[in-house]
Amino acid sequence: MYGWEKYLSERDKKHDELWGKKELYGFGSKPALVLIDIYYSVLGFKREPIFESMQMWPGSTGLEGWEAVDQTAELLAVARDNGIPVIHVKGLHSGVNHWGRRKRKQVEMSPEIRHRGTQIVDEVKPIEGELIIEKAAPSAFHGTPLTFQLISLGIDTVIVAGETTSGCVRASVVDGATQRFRMGVVSECVFDRTEASHYMNLYDMHNKYADVVFLEDAKAYFKQIGAATKTKIHA
């Protein structure tokens, strides 16, 4: 159970029986792990319930976000151990006009604190050799070198973690599928500010653009790729 079931009406469930996705699309032999927008301003510097965290960071995802980060750290460790390329994507914060049109609540804070909010959290921070891409749009692909980098590495499958499920994750998954990459979304490693948006966007992505998989399945996939790579090297 992925969690979206409780948001489906009886009509929706019947529609799924007749039309819904019956099996996974499947992943390829050359994956990359792409982590999207996992920085402090969407989590807070302290682990607090969402409404407490929002007092300083109105866009916070609270404890649910931190739980997803911890599970992403597990996935990241497995990716690194098995030679899976890792790419970090974050927002561009250098004076570029924001893509959103909704006026957001602003909290007064020092430039130093605001800058720290744009930094990737320590739990999943990049290490030497991992690419960091900054974007000025919801999608990790739009206006960035991500596609070129994936092609240069021979990548056929993009496994996604990060936030928000309904926003930048979904936009990236749709663009990745449009460019014919096999897209995967790890259900425990993506997060959002509202539960309904999270689960219904998982449901949509799974049925249209990607395979939504559990963390243990994603880890097993990376280990399988790593083992196959080691076998080729020693053959």
Side-chain angles (χ1 to χ4, degrees):
M1 300 282 283
Y2 285 106
W4 57 61
E5 295 82 4
K6 62 185 175 182
Y7 294 96
L8 300 178
S9 67
E10 291 305 312
R11 180 186 183 280
D12 294 336
K13 293 173 184 175
K14 180 63 176 177
H15 186 267
D16 263 10
E17 289 178 18
L18 298 175
W19 184 83
K21 185 174 180 177
K22 299 297 186 286
E23 60 186 28
L24 297 181
Y25 302 131
F27 298 144
S29 60
K30 287 283 291 182
L33 175 62
V34 176
L35 308 183
I36 298 174
D37 291 348
I38 310 180
Y39 37 73
Y40 284 107
S41 66
V42 298
L43 293 153
F45 298 143
K46 298 185 293 184
R47 296 186 177 224
E48 298 176 312
I50 187 168
F51 299 133
E52 293 178 28
S53 185
M54 286 177 68
Q55 292 176 29
M56 180 170 182
W57 300 103
S60 177
T61 56
L63 293 176
E64 292 84 358
W66 278 113
E67 182 180 358
V69 168
D70 290 338
Q71 296 186 87
T72 301
E74 286 185 37
L75 180 64
L76 177 58
V78 174
R80 288 169 173 166
D81 286 346
N82 288 276
I84 308 299
V86 176
I87 300 174
H88 304 260
V89 181
K90 62 190 293 290
L92 179 64
H93 300 282
S94 59
V96 173
N97 288 339
H98 195 273
W99 54 267
R101 288 292 176 265
R102 181 175 62 83
K103 289 187 177 179
R104 290 173 167 78
K105 177 183 176 183
Q106 296 291 325
V107 174
E108 226 176 284
M109 61 182 70
S110 69
E112 293 79 13
I113 293 295
R114 192 170 297 280
H115 174 72
R116 188 182 169 206
T118 68
Q119 303 307 298
I120 296 171
V121 302
D122 284 346
E123 285 78 357
V124 296
K125 66 182 179 182
I127 61 175
E128 186 177 353
E130 292 178 351
L131 180 65
I132 304 171
I133 291 176
E134 294 188 335
K135 62 183 177 64
S139 171
F141 289 89
H142 187 83
T144 77
L146 179 57
T147 298
F148 307 120
Q149 184 70 9
L150 295 174
I151 291 172
S152 73
L153 294 170
I155 299 301
D156 58 18
T157 301
V158 179
I159 305 298
V160 175
E163 64 84 32
T164 58
T165 315
S166 62
C168 296
V169 168
R170 179 179 176 131
S172 301
V173 166
V174 172
D175 274 1
T178 299
Q179 296 188 49
R180 305 308 190 264
F181 292 105
R182 300 185 188 193
M183 302 301 297
V185 180
V186 185
S187 63
E188 299 98 323
C189 298
V190 293
F191 50 107
D192 211 313
R193 298 178 182 90
T194 56
E195 292 177 327
S197 291
H198 171 72
Y199 285 113
M200 291 314 300
N201 278 278
L202 279 180
Y203 171 80
D204 273 348
M205 286 188 287
H206 184 67
N207 276 286
K208 299 171 185 174
Y209 311 111
D211 286 332
V212 174
V213 298
F214 293 117
L215 174 60
E216 289 305 314
D217 295 324
K219 288 160 64 175
Y221 169 55
F222 285 166
K223 290 175 183 177
Q224 178 186 6
I225 296 298
T229 302
K230 290 171 186 174
T231 299
K232 286 181 182 177
I233 291 173
H234 293 101

